[in-house]
Each structure stands twice: as C-alpha cells, then as structure tokens.
Amino acid sequence: MLEVLLGLLIAVSIGLTGVGGGTITTSVLILGLGIAPEVAVGTALLFALCAKIPAGLIYWQQQQVHQQTLARLLAGGVPAVVIGSFLLHALKSYRDVVLVGIGLIVLMAAGINLFVTLIKVPSFHLAPGWMIAGAGFIGLEVGFSSAGAGALGTLLLLNTTRLSPQAVVGTDLWFGLILSAIGGGIHTVLGQFDLWLFLKLTGGGVIGSLAGAWLAQHVSQRPFRLGLLVWMMVIGSHLVFRSLRR
C-alpha cells in the first residue's frame, strides 16, 4: 500500500511541476524504502517510461516531435545509456561509490532546474555538434542514476536548435522516453528490477498522473516546483553524506 501511495504522490508531482520522474523515484526508493541503488534505478526507469508514454503520444500526434533532432540526440544518448547502465552494474558492489554518484547527479539535476526556474538564463547558441556530445552526457547519467533527461535535455535543445518551445518539450520527452526504455530494459536483463514494486508504483502512478495534470490547470506550478527542487537538493545531499559517513 505504501508503494502505491508513493507512486501516486510522485506522479502528481511530475504532472504538477514537470520535474523528472527518474530523479524523484530513485531517491525515494533508496532513502524511503531501502531498495538497493541498482534495483531502484532499474525500477525507476521503467516507472518513468510508463509515466511519459501518454504525454509522448499526445506530442507525437500533434507533430511536436522534431524527428531529425531526436535522431541526433539518440546518436549520442543511446550508446551512453548502455554504458551508464553497465557501469552501475559493474560498481554495484561498491554501494557507497554508487550512492555518491547518484546523489551528485540528483544534486546537479535539481540545481540546474532551480537555477533555470529562478533566473532568466541569457540565450546562447552552440554548434549542432555539441548536441550529440551533450546527449551522450545525459544518456550516461540516465543509465547510471535514471536522472537528468528532463532539465538538461531541454536546456541542450534550447541552445543547439531553433525549435519552438512545444517542439523542444516534445522532442526531449521522446528522448527521455527512449532512454528510459533502453536503460530500463538493460537493468531488467541484468536482474536490477523489482516487478512487484514496479506494478504497485505504476498502479498509483496512473491515478497520480491524471490528478497532477488536472491540478496543473488550476493552481500555480511555480511554488510547488521550487519547493520540490529544494527538497530534491536536500535528498541528493543526504545520499552523498550518508555514504561518506559509512
């Protein structure tokens, strides 16, 4: 029952704030339920995948996914998410190292989100070649921690393309969706996945995603987003400090 409630609350926060599901889910599973980091990452990736599919289909139907840009992102992201997934598998015996890595990635993802939310970032344009390199970095951290595709992917697209805001969101959503499918599939094959936990999270997530989407139309998202990002930075720091104190 607790897992169903967590899935519901996480999905509500995703729908209301737009903050990535992998970042929140992995942290909650490790700190709240004591799940092994590699299992938490694998389960969070597939949970995030399910949470993103409905919105992804809507953006695709509305032709707000730029397929050429998506192909470039995947050129860098797919090999990297494979490497990140196997890297986590190779290091899973070094639990403290893994916790530090995941904690730092959560801190970075939350920090960038918070910075972009609070401060208007000056516009700058990078050469298209940076897109593949940036996508590779994002894929690596998604495979290792399940976090990062949302904020960093959006920032990358805003500064390497001239896509409309809607196309940026739709293209990045599909980028994260595909990375989650590949990374989650690899973790499942490696035995780093809890099916029963996933089903309970998803059971609550279905209701939560609908509730979050409804709330987003009726309340201001900014206060909730800021509060959630600060909380994510706290739990990211906690992951790091807890491993260093061992």
Side-chain angles (χ1 to χ4, degrees), residues 2-87:
L2 176 60
E3 293 86 349
V4 175
L5 180 60
L6 285 175
L8 186 148
L9 293 175
I10 291 169
V12 168
S13 69
I14 295 169
L16 182 57
T17 68
V19 174
T23 308
I24 304 170
T25 310
T26 298
S27 303
V28 168
L29 292 183
I30 294 174
L31 293 175
L33 300 182
I35 304 297
E38 67 277 7
V39 176
V41 170
T43 306
L45 280 170
L46 292 182
F47 175 64
L49 169 65
C50 292
K52 290 175 180 177
I53 286 176
L57 292 176
I58 291 173
Y59 275 97
W60 190 278
Q61 186 180 31
Q62 294 177 346
Q63 298 183 338
Q64 295 292 352
V65 180
H66 194 273
Q67 296 182 28
Q68 184 179 8
T69 299
L70 178 60
R72 289 177 180 169
L73 290 172
L74 294 176
V78 168
V81 77
V82 173
I83 294 171
S85 300
F86 280 105
L87 179 62

Side-chain angles (χ1 to χ4, degrees), residues 13 16 20-21 29 65 86 92 103 132 152 157 166 170-171 174 191 198 205-206 224 228 230 232 236 239 243 246:
S13 69
L16 182 57
L29 292 183
V65 180
F86 280 105
K92 69 178 183 179
I132 296 177
L152 299 182
L157 289 178
Q166 294 84 359
T171 304
W174 271 88
F198 165 75
V206 171
F224 291 97
L228 185 59
V230 171
M232 285 169 57
L239 281 170
S243 62
R246 288 175 179 265

Side-chain angles (χ1 to χ4, degrees), residues 2-241:
L2 176 60
E3 293 86 349
V4 175
L5 180 60
L6 285 175
L8 186 148
L9 293 175
I10 291 169
V12 168
S13 69
I14 295 169
L16 182 57
T17 68
V19 174
T23 308
I24 304 170
T25 310
T26 298
S27 303
V28 168
L29 292 183
I30 294 174
L31 293 175
L33 300 182
I35 304 297
E38 67 277 7
V39 176
V41 170
T43 306
L45 280 170
L46 292 182
F47 175 64
L49 169 65
C50 292
K52 290 175 180 177
I53 286 176
L57 292 176
I58 291 173
Y59 275 97
W60 190 278
Q61 186 180 31
Q62 294 177 346
Q63 298 183 338
Q64 295 292 352
V65 180
H66 194 273
Q67 296 182 28
Q68 184 179 8
T69 299
L70 178 60
R72 289 177 180 169
L73 290 172
L74 294 176
V78 168
V81 77
V82 173
I83 294 171
S85 300
F86 280 105
L87 179 62
L88 177 60
H89 180 67
L91 294 175
K92 69 178 183 179
S93 299
Y94 304 95
R95 184 182 177 90
D96 291 342
V97 174
V98 171
L99 286 176
V100 168
I102 293 175
L104 289 175
I105 292 172
V106 170
L107 271 172
M108 181 184 65
I112 291 175
N113 261 291
L114 190 62
F115 181 76
V116 172
T117 301
L118 290 174
I119 300 173
K120 186 176 180 181
V121 180
S123 178
F124 59 94
H125 191 74
L126 297 171
W130 282 99
M131 183 187 299
I132 296 177
F137 175 75
I138 294 169
L140 186 67
E141 63 176 14
V142 168
F144 188 83
S145 71
S146 83
L152 299 182
T154 299
L155 193 62
L156 180 65
L157 289 178
L158 286 173
N159 293 292
T160 57
T161 72
R162 301 189 184 279
L163 297 178
S164 67
Q166 294 84 359
V168 165
V169 173
T171 304
D172 182 54
L173 183 62
W174 271 88
F175 176 50
L177 191 155
I178 294 172
L179 291 188
S180 295
I182 295 172
I186 292 172
H187 285 290
T188 301
V189 171
L190 294 173
Q192 298 170 175
F193 172 71
D194 187 323
L195 177 60
W196 185 234
L197 175 61
F198 165 75
L199 291 175
K200 288 191 281 189
L201 288 171
T202 304
V206 171
I207 300 172
S209 61
L210 296 174
W214 181 83
L215 284 171
Q217 305 300 317
H218 295 84
V219 299
S220 173
Q221 298 179 11
R222 185 179 174 85
F224 291 97
R225 183 181 179 89
L226 290 173
L228 185 59
L229 290 172
V230 171
W231 176 72
M232 285 169 57
M233 294 189 72
V234 171
I235 61 175
S237 301
H238 185 59
L239 281 170
V240 173
F241 289 132

